Amino acid sequence: MPSRTLLIWNPGSGRVRRSPRALDGLRSAVGEACGRAARDAAEVCSAVRELAPGPDDLLCVAGGDGTLQAILTALDEIGGEWPRFVMLQAGSTNMTAVDHQGRRRLDSASEAVRAWIAAGHPGGRRIRRRVLRIESGARAPLLGFFFGIGAITEGVRIFEERLRGVGRPGEWAGGLAAARVALSAVLGRTAVPGELEVRTDWSGEGVAWDSVRVLAQIASTLDRLILGARPFWGTEAGALDVTRVEADARHLGRRLWRVALGRPGRHLRSAEGYASHATDRLVLDFEGPFILDGERFELAAGDGPLVLTAPREIEWVVPW
């Protein structure tokens, strides 16, 4: 049984905005002293510092992928051992939560966690995932689960500008944004917004670089991405799954489904612009934006390279 059950929730998250009373029971069960609202990274950092979660605590997070990313980054900055986590799906796509618990409505999940707390925290599944860590010489480390560059940044822009406020955006909206970018790449065959020159050292040692123009490059520690995609087929042992599609990849229209499902067959070969590897350390050098768990960051000239690792684990608790 944890020493304390804590709660950080984002009032600006999509599902919290649409169902503002969904967390009332859970907030009451946790108590005012153990709960904090946080809308952005600065408020998240303040909430984490005030609550000071430790290894004997349980931290419930009601927010989206970006909220969790900010919490993990703040915990890393503070240092020390982490609490266990319960994730309530309160964002728009909730890719990190769906990966380890499947889909769950915010109101039913909140009530399930409240009842579980009232019963003394009996049972519950325990699931561990590696956490992606991104370092460069120009900024403090960032933590999360999904990194993307190239056309990934354009997909996030389309989602934010055109789809986030439409109805009840969820995985379908993120998938629609990805499909829009993919269609542009397949039909246009001109430069897709977001394409960029990237130097990659797959070994992570910073000594064996290749340099190509990239349509999209992603790295993740999750088993499942948006809409069930798993676009990785590397056979090496490593905590990070990494896939790259080059800007001039051959037969892109016919092979995108293979990329999305991680089914290379004999078609997805490095010589034709498709590469996927598992590694414990990846080094990337480029100039431009990158995405971490739906949040946009910028790597300016002279800031790089970025070093991606996954040195520690998070422990999820799924009460239902």
Side-chain angles (χ1 to χ4, degrees):
M1 184 172 177
S3 297
R4 298 181 299 165
T5 300
L6 310 172
L7 172 65
I8 296 177
W9 75 95
N10 184 346
S13 293
R15 297 187 184 186
V16 177
R17 291 198 314 270
R18 292 191 296 272
S19 303
R21 305 301 301 273
L23 296 174
D24 285 359
L26 179 57
R27 289 173 57 186
S28 178
V30 169
E32 184 175 347
C34 291
R36 295 291 187 277
R39 291 180 176 272
D40 56 30
E43 292 185 2
V44 164
C45 188
S46 295
V48 171
R49 289 187 178 279
E50 290 171 9
L51 294 175
D56 296 326
D57 297 326
L58 180 73
L59 177 57
C60 302
V61 179
D65 297 325
T67 301
L68 177 63
Q69 181 271 317
I71 289 172
L72 294 177
T73 297
L75 285 170
D76 183 72
E77 180 180 337
I78 294 168
E81 295 184 66
W82 288 357
R84 289 172 292 155
F85 290 79
V86 172
M87 190 74 191
L88 292 92
Q89 298 173 31
S92 296
T93 56
N94 303 295
M95 185 166 65
T96 304
V98 174
D99 167 69
H100 72 269
Q101 62 183 232
R103 295 183 184 88
R104 184 87 180 196
R105 287 171 53 94
L106 177 60
D107 52 1
S108 64
S110 177
E111 174 56 25
V113 176
R114 185 208 62 78
W116 181 67
I117 293 172
H121 307 82
R125 291 184 291 133
R126 304 290 196 273
I127 299 169
R128 291 181 175 272
R129 288 283 186 273
R130 287 278 182 174
V131 179
L132 176 63
R133 180 184 174 92
I134 301 175
E135 299 175 84
S136 75
R139 65 166 71 243
L142 298 168
L143 273 67
F145 293 92
F146 175 83
F147 166 90
I149 55 175
I152 303 301
T153 61
E154 177 67 3
V156 171
R157 184 193 67 80
I158 291 173
F159 176 82
E160 293 290 342
E161 294 182 1
R162 305 181 188 179
L163 298 173
R164 180 178 287 278
V166 178
R168 294 176 176 266
E171 281 197 310
W172 69 268
L176 187 61
R180 170 65 181 83
V181 175
L183 189 64
S184 174
V186 170
L187 298 182
R189 301 317 297 154
T190 56
V192 175
E195 284 185 11
L196 75 170
E197 296 288 336
V198 181
R199 295 174 67 232
T200 302
D201 178 11
W202 298 94
S203 73
E205 300 300 325
V207 295
W209 299 92
D210 67 18
S211 182
V212 299
R213 188 161 185 83
V214 167
L215 173 63
Q217 188 161 353
I218 60 176
S220 184
T221 59
L222 300 178
D223 287 343
R224 174 200 185 277
L225 303 185
I226 194 166
L227 295 176
R230 198 181 190 287
F232 307 108
W233 58 93
T235 58
E236 305 90 345
L240 294 175
D241 287 310
V242 185
T243 291
R244 182 180 73 191
V245 178
E246 296 177 23
D248 59 353
R250 297 187 61 189
H251 307 299
L252 185 63
R254 298 204 301 265
R255 296 176 179 176
L256 268 178
W257 72 271
R258 289 187 174 276
V259 174
L261 298 180
R263 297 181 181 178
R266 55 186 177 83
H267 306 282
L268 303 184
R269 297 181 297 176
S270 295
E272 298 192 352
Y274 306 90
S276 189
H277 298 281
T279 182
D280 288 321
R281 181 180 173 90
L282 180 74
V283 184
L284 300 173
D285 197 9
F286 61 93
E287 181 181 341
F290 63 91
I291 299 298
L292 180 61
D293 293 350
E295 302 298 314
R296 181 185 175 109
F297 301 89
E298 194 78 23
L299 189 68
D303 288 349
L306 288 185
V307 179
L308 281 64
T309 57
R312 67 187 303 174
E313 289 184 323
I314 187 173
E315 181 177 349
W316 299 109
V317 181
V318 183
W320 48 84

